[in-house]
Amino acid sequence: MAEIAVGIVIDRLISFLGAEVKLFGRLKKEVEDIRIELDYIACFLSQTDPMVDKEDSNGGFKLWAQHVREVAFQIEDVMDEYKLYHVPLAQDQQQQGLMASLSRIAHMVRTVKRQLRAASKIRDIKTSVNEIKERSERYRFNTLQRVPGENYNKPIDPRMGLHFVDSEALVSIDSSRQELAHRLADAELKRTIVSVVGMGGVGKTTLVKKAFDDEIMVGQFDCHAWITVSQSYRVEVLLRTMMKQGRHNGWCRIDKHHGMTLEEVAMTYLSESINRSLVQVSVIDSIGDVRNCQLHDLMREVVVSKSKELSFIQTCPENLSNHDRVARHISICNKSNNFPMVVGNYQTHSAIFFHIEELPKSFCFLLFTKFKLLKELDFEGVPLTYIPEELGNLFNLKYLSIRDTKVKKLLRSIGKLHKLQTLDLKRSFVSKLPVEINMLFNLQYLVAYYKDKQSINSINSRRGMKLYSNFGSLESLEKLYEVDLEAYSGGNFFRELARLKQLRKLCITKLKSENGNDLCDAIQQMIHLQSLRISSIKEEELLHLHTMSSPPVFLRCLRLRGILMKLPGWIYELRNLTKLTLE
């Protein structure tokens, strides 16, 4: 896990050293030195991270790896803080006049002071990285040999030494290895046991280890684990060790692949975890997509242990200020209403709330004004009634969910969240979005609708969102659900819609008959579209959707609500369609 934390920071340092911010003085050289040293540490951790997962691994090495991870977190925080002070001037500060000039000067002074503080922190971190290097050399953590502190009196398995014997030094092993490989490769796709038996010392362990390490053999399996079972053992420990090894072999960061969105890559990894039985599917929707998952008890135990290493803290509100260490991720899940006014630290990157009966305004104000490094904020199901103007302070925010809350309005400050990728307003009371939403150029997921009790039996029983002119500037959007066409105000709606070429899921409500052809023209531009839902403005309104010469070839789910005189011919061309609903 330390390797993953370091790897993420290295990627961000590369971006940080680029055009994202301007570094002054020798600061760029300092950051470059840190990046180079972390490269070496990452290479070492790639070989040693599995050692940390062992039940009997050296405690000193675990502590060293923990310090590496904490320094990596500190580097990430300093980068985020540094970028906070490179936010462009507000529009009123860009104007002319004496007051505007004084405001700009004050802004520059504050910026320089904060940059100097960040520079001091970066130099301190460089010192810490160098100390980590020196400590690894002092205690021989920088080698793969046995390190001081290990239990040298631990009984030695006489079979272990033969693992490292060169294949060329072994006699008459090739034929046996080929037979073992053949049995493994040709085995049926079910639980299979291949036993290797013989007298002690004839080379059973060596034979199996060589087959286990064979690159061609390894490539035929999703994951593999080497477990040594002594005469005294605990099945639970063996299973946990095996699962940790399998998790480590299959672990990978979610990087954007060519031609795939982050969500699609993440779903690929989720499918791989399901196929390996690391995750169990609990709910599947009508078109076969996974909606909910759960973990086996043993796997949950592994995840919980790893969560602690990554500074994930589950707490009740009244204890939030009692933690003596940085809470990287916070889960608040208590029905107590005793929210503290003082919080131990503000380095938290994500906060999620469960089963909260009341969220005082004082706590919300504290959250939005002090936790400026927040990247994910999930209020789903919380009895939240409003989002304060201070939301605009969270410049690093990428994920915001107020799903199933009582919030009715978003303020204009949301336009400052230029890094926001997900805005989930599902089943909140927000329907009218501020025009500043068009400034969120990185937004990928925008969902807003709620049940309209006054129209519960009508064709449009759910109220969608109101958009404004120039919403086509949101060219990164992949999901747009649901748009109230009747409420739209501005220029040509369908010309703006056609600009959203990355859409995967789209829902349009209250469509008029005369707009059907324009909608078809816009949809033809969405070559990645997988799900489409269209409803007419009223039950007796005709849906004219026959002029689509090039429908999206990846469309899997299509739902049409309204009167169709006949089925549009382009529907027969949808080779990937798995669900068609006509209402």
Side-chain angles (χ1 to χ4, degrees), residues 18-41:
E20 196 167 319
V21 294
K22 293 183 179 179
L23 299 171
F24 59 90
R26 287 182 48 83
L27 195 56
K28 187 168 185 177
K29 178 64 167 56
E30 304 273 0
V31 175
E32 178 64 26
D33 290 342
I34 293 174
R35 186 195 66 79
I36 293 173
E37 194 61 46
L38 287 179
D39 277 334
Y40 283 102
I41 292 176

PDB file of all heavy atoms in Angstrom, residues 18-41:
ATOM      1  N   GLY A  18       5.023  20.665 -14.004  1.00  0.00           N
ATOM      2  CA  GLY A  18       4.704  21.121 -15.349  1.00  0.00           C
ATOM      3  C   GLY A  18       4.062  22.488 -15.337  1.00  0.00           C
ATOM      4  O   GLY A  18       4.422  23.379 -14.582  1.00  0.00           O
ATOM      5  N   ALA A  19       3.044  22.628 -16.163  1.00  0.00           N
ATOM      6  CA  ALA A  19       2.429  23.941 -16.365  1.00  0.00           C
ATOM      7  C   ALA A  19       1.322  24.241 -15.377  1.00  0.00           C
ATOM      8  O   ALA A  19       0.704  25.293 -15.443  1.00  0.00           O
ATOM      9  CB  ALA A  19       1.870  24.026 -17.790  1.00  0.00           C
ATOM     10  N   GLU A  20       1.079  23.333 -14.426  1.00  0.00           N
ATOM     11  CA  GLU A  20      -0.061  23.528 -13.538  1.00  0.00           C
ATOM     12  C   GLU A  20       0.122  24.727 -12.614  1.00  0.00           C
ATOM     13  O   GLU A  20      -0.780  25.486 -12.354  1.00  0.00           O
ATOM     14  CB  GLU A  20      -0.284  22.246 -12.718  1.00  0.00           C
ATOM     15  CG  GLU A  20      -1.638  22.202 -12.056  1.00  0.00           C
ATOM     16  CD  GLU A  20      -1.955  20.827 -11.518  1.00  0.00           C
ATOM     17  OE1 GLU A  20      -1.649  19.842 -12.201  1.00  0.00           O
ATOM     18  OE2 GLU A  20      -2.517  20.759 -10.416  1.00  0.00           O
ATOM     19  N   VAL A  21       1.318  24.897 -12.054  1.00  0.00           N
ATOM     20  CA  VAL A  21       1.607  26.070 -11.221  1.00  0.00           C
ATOM     21  C   VAL A  21       3.012  26.555 -11.528  1.00  0.00           C
ATOM     22  O   VAL A  21       3.837  25.825 -12.060  1.00  0.00           O
ATOM     23  CB  VAL A  21       1.507  25.726  -9.713  1.00  0.00           C
ATOM     24  CG1 VAL A  21       0.105  25.390  -9.316  1.00  0.00           C
ATOM     25  CG2 VAL A  21       2.448  24.578  -9.361  1.00  0.00           C
ATOM     26  N   LYS A  22       3.290  27.797 -11.185  1.00  0.00           N
ATOM     27  CA  LYS A  22       4.622  28.361 -11.372  1.00  0.00           C
ATOM     28  C   LYS A  22       5.360  28.347 -10.036  1.00  0.00           C
ATOM     29  O   LYS A  22       4.889  28.906  -9.055  1.00  0.00           O
ATOM     30  CB  LYS A  22       4.524  29.792 -11.911  1.00  0.00           C
ATOM     31  CG  LYS A  22       3.973  29.867 -13.328  1.00  0.00           C
ATOM     32  CD  LYS A  22       3.957  31.308 -13.832  1.00  0.00           C
ATOM     33  CE  LYS A  22       3.435  31.379 -15.256  1.00  0.00           C
ATOM     34  NZ  LYS A  22       3.378  32.774 -15.755  1.00  0.00           N
ATOM     35  N   LEU A  23       6.514  27.698 -10.008  1.00  0.00           N
ATOM     36  CA  LEU A  23       7.322  27.615  -8.806  1.00  0.00           C
ATOM     37  C   LEU A  23       8.418  28.669  -8.863  1.00  0.00           C
ATOM     38  O   LEU A  23       9.040  28.857  -9.908  1.00  0.00           O
ATOM     39  CB  LEU A  23       7.940  26.222  -8.672  1.00  0.00           C
ATOM     40  CG  LEU A  23       6.927  25.064  -8.571  1.00  0.00           C
ATOM     41  CD1 LEU A  23       7.648  23.739  -8.672  1.00  0.00           C
ATOM     42  CD2 LEU A  23       6.164  25.149  -7.268  1.00  0.00           C
ATOM     43  N   PHE A  24       8.660  29.354  -7.744  1.00  0.00           N
ATOM     44  CA  PHE A  24       9.627  30.440  -7.748  1.00  0.00           C
ATOM     45  C   PHE A  24      10.931  29.999  -7.087  1.00  0.00           C
ATOM     46  O   PHE A  24      10.979  29.046  -6.312  1.00  0.00           O
ATOM     47  CB  PHE A  24       9.059  31.652  -7.022  1.00  0.00           C
ATOM     48  CG  PHE A  24       8.675  31.390  -5.595  1.00  0.00           C
ATOM     49  CD1 PHE A  24       9.596  31.571  -4.581  1.00  0.00           C
ATOM     50  CD2 PHE A  24       7.395  30.950  -5.283  1.00  0.00           C
ATOM     51  CE1 PHE A  24       9.246  31.332  -3.272  1.00  0.00           C
ATOM     52  CE2 PHE A  24       7.048  30.705  -3.960  1.00  0.00           C
ATOM     53  CZ  PHE A  24       7.975  30.899  -2.960  1.00  0.00           C
ATOM     54  N   GLY A  25      12.006  30.750  -7.404  1.00  0.00           N
ATOM     55  CA  GLY A  25      13.303  30.499  -6.781  1.00  0.00           C
ATOM     56  C   GLY A  25      13.806  29.089  -7.016  1.00  0.00           C
ATOM     57  O   GLY A  25      13.666  28.522  -8.100  1.00  0.00           O
ATOM     58  N   ARG A  26      14.417  28.526  -5.963  1.00  0.00           N
ATOM     59  CA  ARG A  26      14.963  27.178  -6.027  1.00  0.00           C
ATOM     60  C   ARG A  26      13.918  26.124  -5.708  1.00  0.00           C
ATOM     61  O   ARG A  26      14.229  24.932  -5.625  1.00  0.00           O
ATOM     62  CB  ARG A  26      16.122  27.048  -5.039  1.00  0.00           C
ATOM     63  CG  ARG A  26      17.394  27.764  -5.461  1.00  0.00           C
ATOM     64  CD  ARG A  26      18.483  27.540  -4.438  1.00  0.00           C
ATOM     65  NE  ARG A  26      18.616  26.131  -4.052  1.00  0.00           N
ATOM     66  CZ  ARG A  26      19.304  25.236  -4.752  1.00  0.00           C
ATOM     67  NH1 ARG A  26      19.877  25.580  -5.889  1.00  0.00           N
ATOM     68  NH2 ARG A  26      19.411  23.993  -4.316  1.00  0.00           N
ATOM     69  N   LEU A  27      12.671  26.553  -5.560  1.00  0.00           N
ATOM     70  CA  LEU A  27      11.643  25.616  -5.126  1.00  0.00           C
ATOM     71  C   LEU A  27      11.433  24.489  -6.134  1.00  0.00           C
ATOM     72  O   LEU A  27      11.210  23.333  -5.759  1.00  0.00           O
ATOM     73  CB  LEU A  27      10.323  26.361  -4.894  1.00  0.00           C
ATOM     74  CG  LEU A  27       9.253  25.601  -4.114  1.00  0.00           C
ATOM     75  CD1 LEU A  27       9.777  25.156  -2.774  1.00  0.00           C
ATOM     76  CD2 LEU A  27       8.020  26.469  -3.934  1.00  0.00           C
ATOM     77  N   LYS A  28      11.525  24.829  -7.417  1.00  0.00           N
ATOM     78  CA  LYS A  28      11.338  23.793  -8.427  1.00  0.00           C
ATOM     79  C   LYS A  28      12.409  22.719  -8.316  1.00  0.00           C
ATOM     80  O   LYS A  28      12.134  21.532  -8.467  1.00  0.00           O
ATOM     81  CB  LYS A  28      11.355  24.418  -9.826  1.00  0.00           C
ATOM     82  CG  LYS A  28      11.002  23.432 -10.932  1.00  0.00           C
ATOM     83  CD  LYS A  28      10.756  24.148 -12.242  1.00  0.00           C
ATOM     84  CE  LYS A  28      10.274  23.161 -13.306  1.00  0.00           C
ATOM     85  NZ  LYS A  28       9.948  23.828 -14.584  1.00  0.00           N
ATOM     86  N   LYS A  29      13.654  23.147  -8.032  1.00  0.00           N
ATOM     87  CA  LYS A  29      14.739  22.183  -7.843  1.00  0.00           C
ATOM     88  C   LYS A  29      14.490  21.314  -6.618  1.00  0.00           C
ATOM     89  O   LYS A  29      14.740  20.100  -6.635  1.00  0.00           O
ATOM     90  CB  LYS A  29      16.059  22.942  -7.684  1.00  0.00           C
ATOM     91  CG  LYS A  29      17.285  22.067  -7.429  1.00  0.00           C
ATOM     92  CD  LYS A  29      17.588  21.146  -8.614  1.00  0.00           C
ATOM     93  CE  LYS A  29      18.956  20.505  -8.506  1.00  0.00           C
ATOM     94  NZ  LYS A  29      19.174  19.756  -7.270  1.00  0.00           N
ATOM     95  N   GLU A  30      13.957  21.909  -5.547  1.00  0.00           N
ATOM     96  CA  GLU A  30      13.656  21.149  -4.337  1.00  0.00           C
ATOM     97  C   GLU A  30      12.618  20.065  -4.632  1.00  0.00           C
ATOM     98  O   GLU A  30      12.758  18.909  -4.212  1.00  0.00           O
ATOM     99  CB  GLU A  30      13.125  22.089  -3.249  1.00  0.00           C
ATOM    100  CG  GLU A  30      14.036  23.242  -2.893  1.00  0.00           C
ATOM    101  CD  GLU A  30      15.047  22.849  -1.826  1.00  0.00           C
ATOM    102  OE1 GLU A  30      15.021  21.691  -1.389  1.00  0.00           O
ATOM    103  OE2 GLU A  30      15.870  23.704  -1.445  1.00  0.00           O
ATOM    104  N   VAL A  31      11.546  20.431  -5.343  1.00  0.00           N
ATOM    105  CA  VAL A  31      10.485  19.480  -5.662  1.00  0.00           C
ATOM    106  C   VAL A  31      11.001  18.389  -6.587  1.00  0.00           C
ATOM    107  O   VAL A  31      10.666  17.207  -6.433  1.00  0.00           O
ATOM    108  CB  VAL A  31       9.282  20.210  -6.305  1.00  0.00           C
ATOM    109  CG1 VAL A  31       8.223  19.214  -6.758  1.00  0.00           C
ATOM    110  CG2 VAL A  31       8.685  21.207  -5.315  1.00  0.00           C
ATOM    111  N   GLU A  32      11.845  18.758  -7.543  1.00  0.00           N
ATOM    112  CA  GLU A  32      12.422  17.765  -8.457  1.00  0.00           C
ATOM    113  C   GLU A  32      13.279  16.758  -7.685  1.00  0.00           C
ATOM    114  O   GLU A  32      13.236  15.544  -7.970  1.00  0.00           O
ATOM    115  CB  GLU A  32      13.255  18.469  -9.533  1.00  0.00           C
ATOM    116  CG  GLU A  32      13.954  17.527 -10.511  1.00  0.00           C
ATOM    117  CD  GLU A  32      12.975  16.718 -11.339  1.00  0.00           C
ATOM    118  OE1 GLU A  32      11.842  17.171 -11.547  1.00  0.00           O
ATOM    119  OE2 GLU A  32      13.360  15.620 -11.782  1.00  0.00           O
ATOM    120  N   ASP A  33      14.061  17.229  -6.704  1.00  0.00           N
ATOM    121  CA  ASP A  33      14.879  16.328  -5.887  1.00  0.00           C
ATOM    122  C   ASP A  33      13.996  15.335  -5.121  1.00  0.00           C
ATOM    123  O   ASP A  33      14.324  14.145  -5.010  1.00  0.00           O
ATOM    124  CB  ASP A  33      15.735  17.124  -4.901  1.00  0.00           C
ATOM    125  CG  ASP A  33      16.848  17.906  -5.596  1.00  0.00           C
ATOM    126  OD1 ASP A  33      17.158  17.578  -6.756  1.00  0.00           O
ATOM    127  OD2 ASP A  33      17.401  18.837  -4.983  1.00  0.00           O
ATOM    128  N   ILE A  34      12.878  15.835  -4.592  1.00  0.00           N
ATOM    129  CA  ILE A  34      11.947  14.964  -3.868  1.00  0.00           C
ATOM    130  C   ILE A  34      11.386  13.898  -4.812  1.00  0.00           C
ATOM    131  O   ILE A  34      11.297  12.718  -4.460  1.00  0.00           O
ATOM    132  CB  ILE A  34      10.805  15.792  -3.246  1.00  0.00           C
ATOM    133  CG1 ILE A  34      11.350  16.695  -2.145  1.00  0.00           C
ATOM    134  CG2 ILE A  34       9.718  14.876  -2.688  1.00  0.00           C
ATOM    135  CD1 ILE A  34      10.322  17.649  -1.571  1.00  0.00           C
ATOM    136  N   ARG A  35      11.027  14.321  -6.013  1.00  0.00           N
ATOM    137  CA  ARG A  35      10.440  13.368  -6.970  1.00  0.00           C
ATOM    138  C   ARG A  35      11.434  12.260  -7.312  1.00  0.00           C
ATOM    139  O   ARG A  35      11.076  11.076  -7.363  1.00  0.00           O
ATOM    140  CB  ARG A  35      10.013  14.086  -8.249  1.00  0.00           C
ATOM    141  CG  ARG A  35       9.269  13.180  -9.232  1.00  0.00           C
ATOM    142  CD  ARG A  35       9.176  13.800 -10.601  1.00  0.00           C
ATOM    143  NE  ARG A  35      10.477  13.933 -11.239  1.00  0.00           N
ATOM    144  CZ  ARG A  35      11.111  12.919 -11.822  1.00  0.00           C
ATOM    145  NH1 ARG A  35      10.597  11.711 -11.828  1.00  0.00           N
ATOM    146  NH2 ARG A  35      12.289  13.120 -12.382  1.00  0.00           N
ATOM    147  N   ILE A  36      12.691  12.630  -7.555  1.00  0.00           N
ATOM    148  CA  ILE A  36      13.709  11.638  -7.916  1.00  0.00           C
ATOM    149  C   ILE A  36      13.905  10.639  -6.773  1.00  0.00           C
ATOM    150  O   ILE A  36      13.969   9.419  -6.990  1.00  0.00           O
ATOM    151  CB  ILE A  36      15.035  12.330  -8.274  1.00  0.00           C
ATOM    152  CG1 ILE A  36      14.875  13.140  -9.571  1.00  0.00           C
ATOM    153  CG2 ILE A  36      16.162  11.306  -8.417  1.00  0.00           C
ATOM    154  CD1 ILE A  36      16.078  13.992  -9.921  1.00  0.00           C
ATOM    155  N   GLU A  37      13.984  11.159  -5.537  1.00  0.00           N
ATOM    156  CA  GLU A  37      14.177  10.257  -4.397  1.00  0.00           C
ATOM    157  C   GLU A  37      12.984   9.328  -4.230  1.00  0.00           C
ATOM    158  O   GLU A  37      13.130   8.137  -3.918  1.00  0.00           O
ATOM    159  CB  GLU A  37      14.399  11.080  -3.130  1.00  0.00           C
ATOM    160  CG  GLU A  37      14.949  10.273  -1.961  1.00  0.00           C
ATOM    161  CD  GLU A  37      16.297   9.653  -2.265  1.00  0.00           C
ATOM    162  OE1 GLU A  37      17.176  10.354  -2.797  1.00  0.00           O
ATOM    163  OE2 GLU A  37      16.459   8.454  -1.992  1.00  0.00           O
ATOM    164  N   LEU A  38      11.771   9.850  -4.462  1.00  0.00           N
ATOM    165  CA  LEU A  38      10.575   9.009  -4.359  1.00  0.00           C
ATOM    166  C   LEU A  38      10.549   7.947  -5.450  1.00  0.00           C
ATOM    167  O   LEU A  38      10.008   6.851  -5.240  1.00  0.00           O
ATOM    168  CB  LEU A  38       9.313   9.880  -4.437  1.00  0.00           C
ATOM    169  CG  LEU A  38       9.003  10.721  -3.202  1.00  0.00           C
ATOM    170  CD1 LEU A  38       7.742  11.539  -3.436  1.00  0.00           C
ATOM    171  CD2 LEU A  38       8.828   9.843  -1.968  1.00  0.00           C
ATOM    172  N   ASP A  39      11.109   8.240  -6.621  1.00  0.00           N
ATOM    173  CA  ASP A  39      11.211   7.224  -7.677  1.00  0.00           C
ATOM    174  C   ASP A  39      11.983   6.006  -7.184  1.00  0.00           C
ATOM    175  O   ASP A  39      11.586   4.859  -7.403  1.00  0.00           O
ATOM    176  CB  ASP A  39      11.898   7.812  -8.915  1.00  0.00           C
ATOM    177  CG  ASP A  39      10.931   8.586  -9.801  1.00  0.00           C
ATOM    178  OD1 ASP A  39       9.726   8.281  -9.756  1.00  0.00           O
ATOM    179  OD2 ASP A  39      11.386   9.492 -10.517  1.00  0.00           O
ATOM    180  N   TYR A  40      13.110   6.260  -6.513  1.00  0.00           N
ATOM    181  CA  TYR A  40      13.918   5.156  -5.997  1.00  0.00           C
ATOM    182  C   TYR A  40      13.171   4.398  -4.892  1.00  0.00           C
ATOM    183  O   TYR A  40      13.196   3.167  -4.832  1.00  0.00           O
ATOM    184  CB  TYR A  40      15.256   5.682  -5.457  1.00  0.00           C
ATOM    185  CG  TYR A  40      16.256   6.022  -6.540  1.00  0.00           C
ATOM    186  CD1 TYR A  40      16.470   7.347  -6.922  1.00  0.00           C
ATOM    187  CD2 TYR A  40      16.971   5.025  -7.190  1.00  0.00           C
ATOM    188  CE1 TYR A  40      17.379   7.664  -7.919  1.00  0.00           C
ATOM    189  CE2 TYR A  40      17.887   5.344  -8.186  1.00  0.00           C
ATOM    190  CZ  TYR A  40      18.092   6.657  -8.546  1.00  0.00           C
ATOM    191  OH  TYR A  40      18.986   6.953  -9.534  1.00  0.00           O
ATOM    192  N   ILE A  41      12.499   5.151  -4.017  1.00  0.00           N
ATOM    193  CA  ILE A  41      11.743   4.513  -2.942  1.00  0.00           C
ATOM    194  C   ILE A  41      10.630   3.645  -3.519  1.00  0.00           C
ATOM    195  O   ILE A  41      10.375   2.530  -3.050  1.00  0.00           O
ATOM    196  CB  ILE A  41      11.165   5.574  -1.982  1.00  0.00           C
ATOM    197  CG1 ILE A  41      12.301   6.258  -1.215  1.00  0.00           C
ATOM    198  CG2 ILE A  41      10.176   4.952  -1.009  1.00  0.00           C
ATOM    199  CD1 ILE A  41      11.845   7.398  -0.318  1.00  0.00           C
TER     200      ILE A  41
END
